């Protein structure tokens, strides 16, 4: 195939001054291009990760015995013998008077937190938690918006060697409890509410409902964020005001823990059952995030990162890890595009001199569709626009150049909650091709596999990783024999990580992402399991069964229809549609209210009773029936044609 011309080529001056080039000089590859550096990083895993450790000056209490003692997947053994702490590294690289965190919200108000104040609050909250009996391995959970409170709480937990998990307050209490109750947490930290689209959402009752659903709680720390007083009420645990917890005069000490000691549990919802808790370790996250943010995003002292995210998306973990590089993390509470002022994020980026601006494809496409012009603001400080959550279509690239700046590197990234990092993206020394990710990330042995397990180039295949990454999960929570973990990633190609994305690895080294090959709902980068929607909808008396699908479309859009089978004598009228939407909004997530609610004669299943979510998704996207499902395995084969016709009708309307 003819190699296409890049949309953008690296600026030699930018490359020469970049962290990744300094790293290349450090390892003796100053004359090499990115491709050569990448090849070395995946062929000599031990040499590469030892160099990352040394380059970023990892401060271990005890040294490691070997970089990769056992190379296997799952179960690779990284840096045995080393003891360290993530929180120590997050808090060590800023002078006391330097700005560590900038708190922003959709009203335009802000406040800055210096590194000295951040350390003091982390020390105070850590001491409060210690007094409440929290120690190494105990779980603390947060029901919090994206504000500095969440960063302080997480770092305090990590400093103790305890385990953190968090979700945003747009999750209904039941949805949050489905995640947190699995962890048997000791302490809950929660805010009174959050901002979204001009409204302060009162979550005080939701906090009480969540606390009552967590019987292991010893205490609940209450944050007054949107100015709502906490009423006197009987909580099932001791109540501690955040102001009391965060204003003590304490000395911060960070507990050294083994490299693979659990740091946090992030939840990635599957299609059935409870959300699965993915456990990551201190050392793996530390090294992976230093590589991703320090080398690929070129973050360092003086930089500011603003990435729109909620606390339950993996991108929040990278916002916190901005601190590892000595750069400033910007938090944001609110809608990415408030109705009153849809260009709010660009205005804030200009006002606060943001250097790395992160968002989703849907956001950029929406800006273009509705004629919003970011260039009305002074965006000269932005050097990188990061974009993740789904594939960014080629049509968005010229818009970013015209409306954000010719100097901006548009870095489309693909990764996952599963590794809290990226598999492929860009770097200061990679070309950019419109609609493509520039290259696999350093240290990620990425390939596209066909159904037989052979790597393919310039053909669509499954995204696989053939050698371990330090941030691959330690385990799934409550999976003592590891069977759920193995089934999730290693059952299709034994010993090889299969992620669940369709990709093409091109002949010129880039990666094209075609969308999920599983059925997790992924709206604007916020992932939710279809089971969360089904559980809510199927509790309505009028609904016999439901099926929700999230389908990526060729123009970069994302169509999320909900198919419902009605009970006898029921009509799908406007009133019922409104009730369904309201139930999903209140009991699952307002971000995942479906685009369309359609009545269907039935939901197809496997012979063992599992809904055929992935086949239906692919039928809606236009894949031929014979390529997506074996009709002999379907309980009602006649239904398959119905969904194929629905997909054809929609594509016909949009053609």
């Amino acid at each position: 195939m003819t190699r296409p011309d890049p949309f953008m080529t690296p600026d030699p001056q930018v490359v020469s001054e970049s962290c990744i080039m300094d790293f290349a000089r450090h390892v003796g590859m100053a004359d090499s291009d990115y491709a050569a550096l990448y090849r070395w990083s995946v062929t000599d895993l031990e040499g590469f990760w030892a160099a990352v450790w040394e380059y970023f000056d990892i401060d271990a209490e005890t040294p490691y015995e070997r970089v990769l003692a056992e190379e296997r997947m799952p179960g690779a053994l990284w840096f045995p013998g080393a003891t360290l702490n993530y929180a120590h590294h997050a808090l060590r690289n800023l002078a006391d008077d330097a700005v560590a965190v900038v708190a922003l919200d959709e009203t335009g108000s802000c406040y800055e937190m210096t590194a000295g104040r951040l350390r003091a609050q982390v020390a105070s909250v850590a001491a409060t938690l210690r007094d409440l009996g929290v120690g190494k391995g105990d779980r603390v959970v947060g029901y919090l918006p994206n504000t500095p409170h969440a960063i302080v709480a997480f770092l305090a937990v990590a400093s103790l060697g305890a385990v953190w998990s968090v979700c945003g307050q747009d999750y209904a209490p039941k949805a949050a409890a489905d995640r947190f109750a699995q962890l048997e947490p000791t302490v809950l930290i929660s805010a009174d509410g959050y901002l979204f689209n001009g409204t302060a959402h009162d979550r005080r009752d939701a906090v009480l409902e969540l606390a009552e659903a967590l019987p292991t709680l010893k205490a609940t720390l209450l944050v007054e964020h949107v100015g709502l007083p906490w009423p006197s009420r009987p909580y099932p645990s001791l109540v501690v005001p955040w102001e009391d917890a965060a204003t003590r005069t304490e000395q911060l000490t960070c507990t050294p823990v083994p490299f693979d000691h659990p740091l946090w549990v992030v939840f990635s919802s599957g299609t059935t059952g409870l959300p699965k808790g993915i456990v990551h370790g201190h050392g793996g996250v530390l090294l992976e995030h230093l590589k991703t943010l320090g080398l690929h995003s070129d973050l360092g002292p003086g930089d500011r990162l603003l990435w729109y995210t909620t606390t339950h998306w993996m991108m929040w973990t990278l916002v916190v890890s901005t601190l590892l590089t000595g750069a400033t993390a910007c938090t944001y509470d609110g809608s990415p595009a408030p109705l009153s002022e849809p260009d709010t994020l660009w205005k804030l980026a200009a006002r606060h001199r943001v250097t790395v601006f992160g968002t989703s494809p849907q956001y950029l496409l929406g800006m273009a569709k509705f004629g919003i012009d970011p260039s009305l603001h002074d965006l000269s400080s932005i050097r990188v626009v990061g974009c993740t959550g789904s594939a960014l279509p080629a049509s968005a690239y010229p818009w970013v150049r015209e409306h954000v700046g010719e100097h901006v590197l548009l870095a489309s990234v693909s990764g996952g909650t599963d590794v809290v990092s990226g598999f492929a993206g860009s770097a200061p020394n990679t070309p950019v091709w419109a609609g493509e990710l520039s290259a696999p990330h350093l240290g990620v042995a990425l390939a596209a596999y066909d159904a037989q397990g052979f790597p393919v180039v310039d053909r669509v295949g499954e995204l696989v990783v053939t050698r371990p990454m330090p941030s691959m999960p330690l385990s799934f929570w409550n999976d003592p024999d590891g069977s759920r973990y193995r089934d999730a990633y290693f059952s299709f190609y034994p010993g090889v990580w299969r992620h669940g994305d369709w990709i093409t690895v091109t002949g010129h080294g880039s990666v094209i992402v075609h969308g999920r090959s599983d059925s997790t709902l992924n709206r604007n980068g916020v992932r939710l399991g279809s089971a969360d929607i089904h559980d809510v909808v199927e509790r309505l008396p009028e609904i016999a069964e439901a099926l929700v699908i999230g389908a990526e479309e060729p123009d970069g859009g994302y169509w999320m229809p909900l198919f419902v089978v009605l009970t006898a004598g029921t009509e799908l009228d406007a009133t019922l549609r409104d009730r369904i939407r309201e139930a999903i909004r209140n009991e699952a997530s307002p971000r995942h209210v479906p685009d369309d609610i359609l009545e269907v004669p039935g939901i197809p299943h496997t012979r063992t009773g599992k809904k055929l979510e992935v086949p239906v998704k692919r039928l809606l996207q236009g894949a031929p029936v014979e390529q997506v499902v074996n009709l002999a395995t379907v309980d009602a084969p006649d239904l398959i044609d119905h969904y194929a016709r629905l997909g054809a009708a929609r594509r016909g309307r949009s053609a």
Side-chain angles (χ1 to χ4, degrees), residues 553-555 646-655:
E553 297 187 298
D555 64 356
L646 283 175
R650 177 172 174 83
R651 293 192 304 278
R653 288 194 299 271
S654 60

Side-chain angles (χ1 to χ4, degrees), residues 223-310:
V223 177
E224 191 174 306
H225 167 54
V226 295
L228 300 174
W230 290 99
S232 298
R233 61 180 70 186
Y235 269 76
S237 61
L238 174 68
V239 171
V240 180
W242 178 263
E243 285 303 309
D244 293 349
T247 56
R248 299 166 50 167
T249 301
E250 301 285 347
Q251 191 70 31
L252 178 65
T253 57
C254 294
T255 302
V257 294
F259 185 90
D260 59 357
H261 182 79
L263 174 65
W264 57 46
V265 179
V266 291
F267 284 92
S268 182
S269 299
T271 58
T272 59
L274 290 173
K276 64 177 182 284
I278 303 172
V279 185
H280 293 112
H282 277 246
V285 170
L286 175 62
L287 288 185
E288 185 65 42
H289 284 190
L290 281 168
K291 178 209 73 176
T292 299
L293 295 170
L295 301 184
H296 285 274
S297 297
D298 202 31
L299 279 174
D303 284 313
R304 291 188 170 195
L305 179 142
L306 169 60
W307 201 299
Y308 178 76
T309 183
T310 56

Side-chain angles (χ1 to χ4, degrees), residues 303-633:
D303 284 313
R304 291 188 170 195
L305 179 142
L306 169 60
W307 201 299
Y308 178 76
T309 183
T310 56
T311 52
H312 48 263
W313 190 21
M314 63 148 282
M315 290 309 303
W316 181 81
T317 70
L318 284 161
V319 170
V320 179
S321 287
T322 299
L323 300 171
L324 295 172
T325 70
T328 300
C330 298
T331 64
Y332 177 80
D333 182 33
S335 167
L339 292 175
S340 61
E341 203 168 9
D343 63 346
T344 288
L345 284 177
W346 300 110
K347 180 178 72 174
L348 292 172
R351 181 185 301 166
H352 297 282
R353 309 303 293 165
V354 166
T355 55
V356 177
F357 180 93
T359 186
S360 68
Q362 286 75 20
Y363 178 81
L364 296 177
L365 294 167
M367 295 285 108
K369 179 178 180 180
F370 294 107
I372 296 168
D373 186 2
S375 68
L376 296 175
H377 307 285
D378 177 8
L379 302 177
S380 57
S381 64
I382 296 179
R383 56 179 176 77
V384 177
V385 171
C387 194
T388 193
S390 59
L392 181 65
S395 62
Y397 286 68
W399 183 88
V400 171
R401 170 179 282 175
E402 181 178 350
H403 293 275
V404 184
E406 292 187 357
H407 64 288
V408 169
L409 171 66
L410 181 50
S412 182
V413 181
S414 181
T417 300
D418 322 73
V419 294
V420 289
S421 185
F423 293 118
S426 298
N429 57 343
T430 59
V432 174
W433 290 271
E436 304 176 10
L437 284 65
S438 296
H441 275 189
L442 296 177
V444 181
L446 179 145
Y449 269 17
D450 64 16
Q452 286 71 44
F454 295 104
V456 293
V457 176
D458 288 325
R459 284 172 46 198
V460 177
E462 288 273 4
L463 188 161
V464 299
V465 181
T466 61
R467 301 191 72 184
M469 296 168 57
S471 65
M472 284 177 174
L474 303 177
S475 63
F476 285 174
W477 195 263
N478 288 336
D479 182 28
D481 64 356
S483 58
R484 292 175 61 215
Y485 181 22
R486 289 191 299 273
D487 288 347
Y489 308 113
F490 302 103
S491 59
F492 202 84
Y493 306 111
V496 172
W497 175 288
R498 171 183 174 264
H499 188 62
D501 280 346
W502 299 115
I503 65 166
T504 298
V505 176
T506 71
H508 51 276
S510 69
V511 178
I512 302 172
V513 179
H514 305 286
R516 297 293 297 168
S517 61
D518 66 14
S519 55
T520 301
L521 304 174
N522 189 349
R523 172 165 278 174
N524 296 322
V526 180
R527 296 176 65 179
L528 186 74
S530 55
D532 288 323
I533 303 294
H534 297 159
D535 178 58
V536 170
V537 175
E538 291 174 354
R539 281 190 265 128
L540 297 174
E542 298 90 347
I543 307 302
E545 192 173 18
L547 175 67
V548 65
I549 296 294
E552 298 84 3
E553 297 187 298
D555 64 356
Y558 189 79
W559 183 43
M560 203 177 94
L562 173 70
F563 302 107
V564 294
V565 180
L566 302 178
T567 55
T570 299
E571 179 183 357
L572 185 60
D573 55 15
T575 300
L576 179 55
R577 283 190 168 92
D578 287 345
R579 287 184 59 227
I580 293 170
R581 293 189 182 100
E582 191 66 14
I584 294 170
R585 183 178 293 110
N586 292 333
E587 299 180 49
S589 165
R591 310 289 176 86
H592 294 82
V593 175
D595 299 308
D596 294 294
I597 302 174
L598 305 172
E599 181 181 357
V600 290
I603 306 296
H605 306 79
T606 65
R607 296 291 182 183
T608 57
K610 185 177 180 179
K611 295 176 184 178
L612 291 175
E613 298 175 82
V614 173
V616 168
K617 172 180 173 176
R618 296 191 63 199
L619 290 171
L620 297 177
Q621 292 172 318
V625 171
E626 62 273 13
Q627 290 187 10
V628 301
V629 65
N630 178 356
L631 293 178
T633 66

Side-chain angles (χ1 to χ4, degrees), residues 22-32:
D22 190 53
F23 176 77
R25 290 189 285 267
H26 176 78
V27 298
M29 298 184 69
D31 297 329
S32 303

